[in-house]
Amino acid sequence: MATGVTAQSQGGTAQSQGGDQAADRLKVVQDLCDRGEPLDAVMRAVGPGGRDAAFDSEVLSGPLAARMDLAVKRGVPRRRELLTLVRPYLAAVDPGVKRELPVARRLLCHLIEHRPDAELVEGDTLTKVVAASAEPSKRIRKGLRWYAELPFRDELPPALFRLRRADMVPVTHIDDIQWIDGRLRVTGFAYLAGLSVRSRRFNRATVVLRGPRWLPPVRLRTRRVLAPEATHGAREPGCNYDWSGFSADLNPWALRWRGAVRGLVSAVRRRMRHRPAVRDATTWRAEIVFWSRGARGTGLLRGSSIGRPERPAGRKLRPGLWARPVWTSDRALQVVLQPNRAELADASVHDDHLDLKIFLPGRTVTKGHARLGGHRMAAEFAPVANGTEVLISLAVPALLQEKDGRRLWVEPKGDPAASVMLADSGEIRVPSGDREITVLGDRRDRVIVSAHRIRPVITSAVWEGESLVLRGRYPDAAGPRVVTLRHRSGLCYWIPMDRSGDEFSVRLAPSTMDRFGEAVPLSSGTWNMSIRHPSGEIVPLRMDHAALSGLDEDPRTFDGRVYRMVSTRFDVPVVTVEEDRPAGEKGVAGTHVLRRVFYPAQRTEPLNDATVYVVNDGRLYADSVRAVYEERLRRGDDREHIWIVKDGAFVPPGGATVVRAGSREHHAALARSRYIVTNAFLPVWFRSREDQVVLQTWNGTPVKHIGNDQPHMARDPRPPVYHRQVAEVRGWDVLLSQSPWATPVLRRAFGYQGEVLESGLPRNDVLSSPDRDRLAASVRERLGLAEGKRVVLYAPTWRDYDRKNAMVKLDLAKAREALGADHELLVRGHAMQAVPAVPDIARDVTTYPDMADLLLVTDVLVTDYSSVMFDFAATGRPIVFYGYDLAKYASKRGLYIDLPETAPGPLLSTSAEVIEALRSIDEVAATYSDRYDAFRATFAPRDDGKATARVVDRIFS
């Protein structure tokens, strides 16, 4: 018997080592692919095929498959290399492995193995398959089997296109998890991509909980329900998943008796080893099994809606025993039957020590240790009635040095470690100076001990009309605080915090936020909350755990936008915003119908004598488009004016019709309006009609290479953006140019052969307007700039290779020190760059709508390779060029002008040089006056205040 046990153990060890080696090999291959290493290096790491079926399956479905797709897209040389390196490997792989690959991978491998080199390298056979695999494929049923609609289906064996287990992985989502009448109810939706679920008929689903292998699974009572949101969120056009919803109920008794059986078996095993029985948690993973129109799918329940479903509550089944639905790190749902082996009984701070009292129910232990995270510490074990009491004392000064929260464990001698649970004891937050020590429960009620800067804790979130009022506790030192609402894009709003002792309140109106004196709604997305401590540290707000159960997370709709105050990641408060769209416009299915059915039908209707105005996809009321619109209003043009507005970004003056970007009305307006005025590319689905007039004002004279002049546009094969540009430019009727110099540059960059109107840029007319002083005073007031101060605007362009960098390269602190209080410093980041991190000593005007307004009040411009240099030249005011990365930028992106020879101001490479030039700007301007005049005559000869009139006369008269 001993020999048998040893052999089994050795076999298991060998198998485990083999699995570990395969996992290590797979990780090496993944790392090589992530770093973009050559294909031959990747294949050396993969090694010969056929040695390990599991490894071959994983690598062909994962990193190697993605690398093969990339090689196919990169042209003839890469495809030839692909065949040379991959074909021998595929020939050695077990046919059973290839047969069970996802259908698109299976087809690609078959073609590489069996089609001739000439067809695969020179032709588009592989390209067709890779392109088709990037989109959800249509599914076709023949008898009781399902097949994928992919290229070459009529030429190759049907078995290649049959959907197998790897293709039948469902898309799942959990909308809610809650206890109702003692049962756990899980609601959500699950479907197979590409397989519509239009009704209850032939549509069954069962949620199954699978625990340890020998325990029988738990099958939940499951029924299908209507879930139109599944269709709205799907990636596949033309599919209907309205009846893919499900609702499943769990009776916890099913867990209790299975857990009891497992506990009994475990206890017997431990007794046989002369060890005391220990109650242990039992975990079940949640799967869904469904049958729909002859197809059977099985998969883990994954994915949760934001808010309450992220923090499902546990239920106390009896003293010391809980049933808890939990989420794993990869967002899969599990249900845990958990006995509390260690419960927190009390927590308090005395004499610079945090004293914790822990109770071990039903166990008598005299020795052991405690553990905080990875730190083991002494603990005092004292038997008491019905269990053991454990006392732990932690030094507060040592805790204050910690940066992260740590879980608390108890390790009784001879027993496995037990995580300390919060149970019925209260959480504590104890201030210590400007920091606090907290003993809190996490989403699974496990005790976490941490020390950090004192955080504002929200105890109440109430909607009062259109305002959201947050109240809570913040026992930090007295003084003003400001709550920052921050979007993932970097956009921020600041709301003052009202404080009264340790209490605070914050009132915000998400539908009418102040942006430079203008009321605008919060843009769509998630907004996080924090404050900036006087020390400079960013301190996040948190939700009080006791308030989570009563938190009102229901949506509120104001002016066509939906707002929610939710707590995500357990206790992180956020405000979410989205547009309130009709069902027919939601998701891929809605946009597919609008683009492929509604818009073509509208193009057959007669044109209306209307004009559509679009700036940056509808994000701004600005630029030359705004100037053209306002000039037409000034002339009394009473034809219909339609502004496309994205995400509620603005409300145009003058009574224009406002149309939401992406809506049904948007498609109709572009299909049936006679005139379209835009400063950028129009939607990809737009095609100009013969009798429409598209006026492309563009967004300035280019300094850096654009369009066809960019390096990636010359690749073979051409990138998708090249074909996108060709289709777009074909629809332009008139292109505006700022100067004779810019005309050939724009023609070459866009491949444009149509009419170019060298009118100057209408957006710059305001800089030469007779009313410019009055307008400038209005802008100064809006920005809060003091009269009489010199305004310096730093407006750099964006970096393709460093777009996420929010650092301001100009040293604003030293600039403020050197220039003094009689200067105002403004920073304008580019829309394509991360929102700059601007300190309080300067003003961030990145989100100010119109750059022309900023140029009106600017006395000195600091820029680099931005087209703003040509616009600002109309003012005659000084320009300083900060080209700290000129050589790198010129080599990577390319420039149309030789800045060292042409720039109408000093071209400097360090922040110190720029500051010195600003200190003596009058002398610097005088030095460059002749070059400035030549620059203006070359690049902005027609920016004389009459450009808009010339455009309107030519297009609309």
Side-chain angles (χ1 to χ4, degrees):
M1 183 176 292
T3 304
V5 172
T6 304
Q8 186 177 3
S9 175
Q10 290 175 347
T13 301
Q15 185 177 2
S16 174
Q17 291 176 348
D20 292 343
Q21 291 173 0
D24 292 342
R25 287 175 59 203
L26 188 64
K27 186 177 185 301
V28 169
V29 174
Q30 184 70 64
D31 290 343
L32 290 173
C33 292
D34 291 343
R35 295 201 304 267
E37 297 292 337
L39 185 59
D40 58 345
V42 174
M43 294 310 300
R44 283 198 299 270
V46 170
R51 294 188 303 173
D52 186 333
F55 172 79
D56 291 338
S57 178
E58 290 289 339
V59 80
L60 283 172
S61 300
L64 183 57
R67 194 54 185 272
M68 290 165 64
D69 289 351
L70 185 62
V72 169
K73 296 175 184 177
R74 288 293 178 87
V76 171
R78 295 294 178 88
R79 288 198 288 269
R80 183 175 289 110
E81 180 188 32
L82 172 69
L83 297 185
T84 303
L85 296 174
V86 175
R87 185 176 278 167
Y89 167 73
L90 291 176
V93 172
D94 183 0
V97 170
K98 290 180 283 189
R99 184 172 57 250
E100 296 300 325
L101 290 173
V103 62
R105 303 299 174 203
R106 190 189 318 149
L107 177 58
L108 188 66
C109 292
H110 177 86
L111 293 173
I112 291 175
E113 283 192 272
H114 297 92
R115 289 293 175 99
D117 288 8
E119 176 186 344
L120 299 180
V121 174
E122 304 292 341
D124 61 353
T125 298
L126 297 180
T127 305
K128 286 181 179 179
V129 175
V130 170
S133 66
E135 301 292 335
S137 59
K138 182 180 178 182
R139 311 211 170 184
I140 302 171
R141 187 172 69 178
K142 288 187 176 181
L144 295 179
R145 293 178 177 177
W146 286 86
Y147 297 85
E149 179 68 45
L150 290 172
F152 313 110
R153 194 171 64 86
D154 297 332
E155 304 175 21
L156 297 173
L160 277 175
F161 300 88
R162 183 181 172 187
L163 300 181
R164 300 184 182 276
R165 185 180 181 88
D167 304 294
M168 295 292 192
V169 178
V171 177
T172 63
H173 185 81
I174 306 299
D175 292 324
D176 200 6
I177 306 173
Q178 57 181 320
W179 293 92
I180 299 176
D181 297 331
R183 295 173 181 265
L184 181 67
R185 177 165 296 173
V186 181
T187 57
F189 58 80
Y191 60 85
L192 290 175
L195 185 64
S196 291
V197 189
R198 301 178 185 275
S199 70
R200 292 177 182 267
R201 294 184 62 197
F202 309 112
N203 177 20
R204 296 171 49 206
T206 303
V207 174
V208 181
L209 301 182
R210 301 191 185 277
R213 286 180 298 175
W214 56 272
L215 274 183
V218 183
R219 288 178 171 81
L220 278 60
R221 184 177 179 182
T222 309
R223 59 190 178 91
R224 281 298 203 182
V225 297
L226 186 65
E229 63 274 12
T231 303
H232 301 155
R235 295 177 55 237
E236 304 80 31
C239 290
N240 185 314
Y241 304 119
D242 286 359
W243 280 96
S244 65
F246 67 87
S247 176
D249 290 343
L250 169 66
N251 186 341
W253 173 250
L255 305 182
R256 290 186 64 176
W257 75 258
R258 287 170 172 82
V261 171
R262 181 172 183 265
L264 179 61
V265 172
S266 176
V268 170
R269 288 176 175 174
R270 289 184 64 87
R271 290 292 185 185
M272 292 176 65
R273 297 174 185 153
H274 305 289
R275 295 180 180 178
V278 176
R279 297 182 302 164
D280 198 5
T282 304
T283 301
W284 286 266
R285 68 180 185 274
E287 297 181 353
I288 187 164
V289 181
F290 60 88
W291 299 261
S292 181
R293 299 166 59 197
R296 182 181 186 274
T298 303
L300 295 176
L301 283 180
R302 297 181 184 275
S304 166
S305 297
I306 189 172
R308 187 175 66 182
E310 292 182 290
R311 52 176 198 279
R315 184 173 183 83
K316 190 174 184 178
L317 304 180
R318 60 175 174 79
L321 183 66
W322 290 72
R324 290 189 173 92
V326 299
W327 293 100
T328 64
S329 58
D330 59 348
R331 302 183 68 205
L333 179 64
Q334 294 181 343
V335 179
V336 180
L337 184 68
Q338 186 170 25
N340 286 0
R341 294 177 48 214
E343 298 179 346
L344 182 66
D346 185 52
S348 58
V349 175
H350 300 99
D351 300 329
D352 284 339
H353 280 80
L354 173 63
D355 297 325
L356 302 174
K357 184 185 295 185
I358 300 163
F359 180 63
L360 308 183
R363 296 282 288 129
T364 301
V365 183
T366 58
K367 294 182 180 180
H369 294 84
R371 180 157 50 88
L372 188 61
H375 299 288
R376 208 175 190 193
M377 62 194 69
E380 181 182 338
F381 288 73
V384 295
N386 301 321
T388 301
E389 189 175 84
V390 183
L391 300 178
I392 305 172
S393 183
L394 304 175
V396 169
L399 283 176
L400 293 175
Q401 302 302 316
E402 299 288 341
K403 294 183 178 180
D404 301 316
R406 300 177 185 274
R407 281 176 59 188
L408 182 63
W409 299 77
V410 172
E411 299 178 343
K413 185 176 181 181
D415 288 352
S419 180
V420 179
M421 310 302 291
L422 193 63
D424 298 325
S425 63
E427 301 174 323
I428 66 166
R429 298 174 183 268
V430 181
S432 178
D434 61 355
R435 297 176 68 80
E436 66 179 352
I437 295 174
T438 64
V439 180
L440 307 174
D442 65 3
R443 69 183 71 192
R444 297 176 64 170
D445 274 349
R446 300 173 299 194
V447 172
I448 305 293
V449 179
S450 60
H452 43 68
R453 189 79 65 180
I454 296 176
R455 293 173 176 172
V457 178
I458 299 172
T459 58
S460 169
V462 179
W463 288 94
E464 297 181 0
E466 296 189 9
S467 296
L468 175 63
V469 181
L470 308 177
R471 297 182 176 89
R473 300 186 302 272
Y474 182 44
D476 197 13
R481 298 288 190 276
V482 176
V483 174
T484 301
L485 277 180
R486 184 179 182 85
H487 193 264
R488 61 178 300 178
S489 65
L491 180 62
C492 294
Y493 289 97
W494 294 270
I495 303 100
M497 174 186 285
D498 294 329
R499 303 184 64 187
S500 176
D502 289 348
E503 306 296 319
F504 76 86
S505 65
V506 176
R507 179 180 292 270
L508 62 103
S511 60
T512 54
M513 303 297 292
D514 179 70
R515 183 183 66 185
F516 300 106
E518 177 186 16
V520 297
L522 290 178
S523 57
S524 295
T526 301
W527 294 81
N528 294 287
M529 304 180 193
S530 63
I531 63 170
R532 182 183 292 274
H533 192 267
S535 66
E537 182 179 344
I538 302 299
V539 181
L541 273 69
R542 288 291 182 261
M543 284 296 305
D544 183 9
H545 295 178
L548 288 175
S549 60
L551 179 63
D552 181 4
E553 296 184 333
D554 293 338
R556 301 293 195 281
T557 302
F558 310 123
D559 299 325
R561 303 177 65 74
V562 181
Y563 304 90
R564 291 180 67 200
M565 164 67 191
V566 300
S567 182
T568 184
R569 300 193 301 278
F570 187 48
D571 60 356
V572 179
V574 298
V575 176
T576 66
V577 187
E578 63 179 357
E579 292 183 302
D580 184 20
R581 294 179 294 166
E585 297 176 7
K586 291 182 178 179
V588 175
T591 57
H592 178 77
V593 172
L594 288 175
R595 296 179 183 184
R596 300 294 181 88
V597 180
F598 179 74
Y599 176 69
Q602 288 292 302
R603 291 184 81 246
T604 65
E605 298 292 328
L607 286 176
N608 300 320
D609 195 11
T611 304
V612 176
Y613 302 89
V614 192
V615 179
N616 291 13
D617 298 329
R619 292 183 176 90
L620 295 173
Y621 176 71
D623 214 275
S624 295
V625 180
R626 170 189 175 183
V628 170
Y629 168 67
E630 292 181 350
E631 173 66 13
R632 294 181 68 190
L633 290 186
R634 188 187 66 78
R635 295 186 180 192
D637 191 332
D638 59 358
R639 287 174 283 186
E640 185 179 10
H641 303 277
I642 302 172
W643 273 91
I644 306 301
V645 178
K646 186 178 182 68
D647 212 18
F650 61 91
V651 176
T657 302
V658 175
V659 169
R660 178 172 52 80
S663 66
R664 190 179 186 88
E665 293 76 16
H666 183 195
H667 290 75
L670 287 184
R672 301 189 59 186
S673 297
R674 185 171 302 280
Y675 301 100
I676 299 172
V677 184
T678 181
N679 75 331
F681 283 6
L682 291 164
V684 66
W685 44 264
F686 172 76
R687 291 294 180 269
S688 177
R689 295 168 60 168
E690 287 292 331
D691 41 0
Q692 280 184 316
V693 177
V694 177
L695 171 61
Q696 176 58 261
T697 68
W698 200 238
N699 46 43
T701 297
V703 180
K704 53 187 172 291
H705 285 177
I706 62 172
N708 295 334
D709 294 331
Q710 297 178 81
H712 69 272
M713 296 291 273
R715 289 178 185 163
D716 183 24
R718 300 284 191 182
V721 68
Y722 172 86
H723 303 286
R724 163 84 173 90
Q725 177 178 288
V726 169
E728 169 76 23
V729 172
R730 192 182 296 123
W732 296 351
D733 293 285
V734 180
L735 173 64
L736 298 190
S737 172
Q738 192 173 12
S739 66
W741 178 88
T743 299
V745 172
L746 293 171
R747 283 194 181 278
R748 183 177 67 251
F750 294 126
Y752 177 67
Q753 302 300 321
E755 178 184 351
V756 175
L757 182 61
E758 291 180 0
S759 58
L761 293 184
R763 69 186 185 189
N764 293 334
D765 283 355
V766 67
L767 303 179
S768 304
S769 169
D771 294 333
R772 60 181 176 272
D773 292 337
R774 178 183 61 81
L775 296 172
S778 174
V779 175
R780 279 180 176 270
E781 181 180 0
R782 188 173 174 184
L783 294 173
L785 301 178
E787 194 65 36
K789 290 189 177 183
R790 174 170 279 176
V791 177
V792 178
L793 173 63
Y794 177 44
T797 192
W798 62 294
R799 270 67 177 165
D800 312 54
Y801 47 84
D802 198 20
R803 289 182 57 182
K804 295 183 179 181
N805 192 337
M807 182 183 297
V808 178
K809 298 298 183 180
L810 183 64
D811 192 332
L812 296 174
K814 290 186 178 178
R816 168 59 65 204
E817 180 182 354
L819 300 178
D822 61 340
H823 282 68
E824 291 278 9
L825 303 178
L826 309 182
V827 178
R828 170 81 167 193
H830 196 281
M832 299 290 286
Q833 189 77 18
V835 175
V838 181
D840 295 337
I841 56 177
R843 298 177 188 268
D844 183 3
V845 292
T846 300
T847 59
Y848 190 89
D850 200 339
M851 184 66 168
D853 288 353
L854 298 178
L855 298 185
L856 264 178
V857 302
T858 297
D859 297 303
V860 184
L861 173 67
V862 179
T863 188
D864 44 22
Y865 327 114
S866 170
S867 63
V868 70
M869 67 175 72
F870 303 123
D871 301 331
F872 194 68
T875 66
R877 299 170 193 157
I879 307 175
V880 175
F881 293 85
Y882 182 23
Y884 61 89
D885 60 348
L886 176 60
K888 181 178 181 179
Y889 196 92
S891 64
K892 283 186 171 290
R893 181 66 186 256
L895 299 175
Y896 287 117
I897 63 176
D898 185 352
L899 271 179
E901 297 296 326
T902 312
L907 177 59
L908 309 172
S909 59
T910 68
S911 184
E913 293 174 334
V914 172
I915 295 170
E916 184 59 34
L918 293 175
R919 292 181 62 185
S920 55
I921 193 62
D922 294 333
E923 293 82 357
V924 170
T927 303
Y928 283 86
S929 60
D930 293 340
R931 187 186 280 193
Y932 199 116
D933 293 339
F935 183 88
R936 183 174 180 178
T938 301
F939 298 105
R942 308 212 72 186
D943 283 354
D944 54 4
K946 301 176 182 178
T948 309
R950 287 190 283 267
V951 172
V952 173
D953 290 342
R954 165 65 185 82
I955 303 297
F956 301 102
S957 296

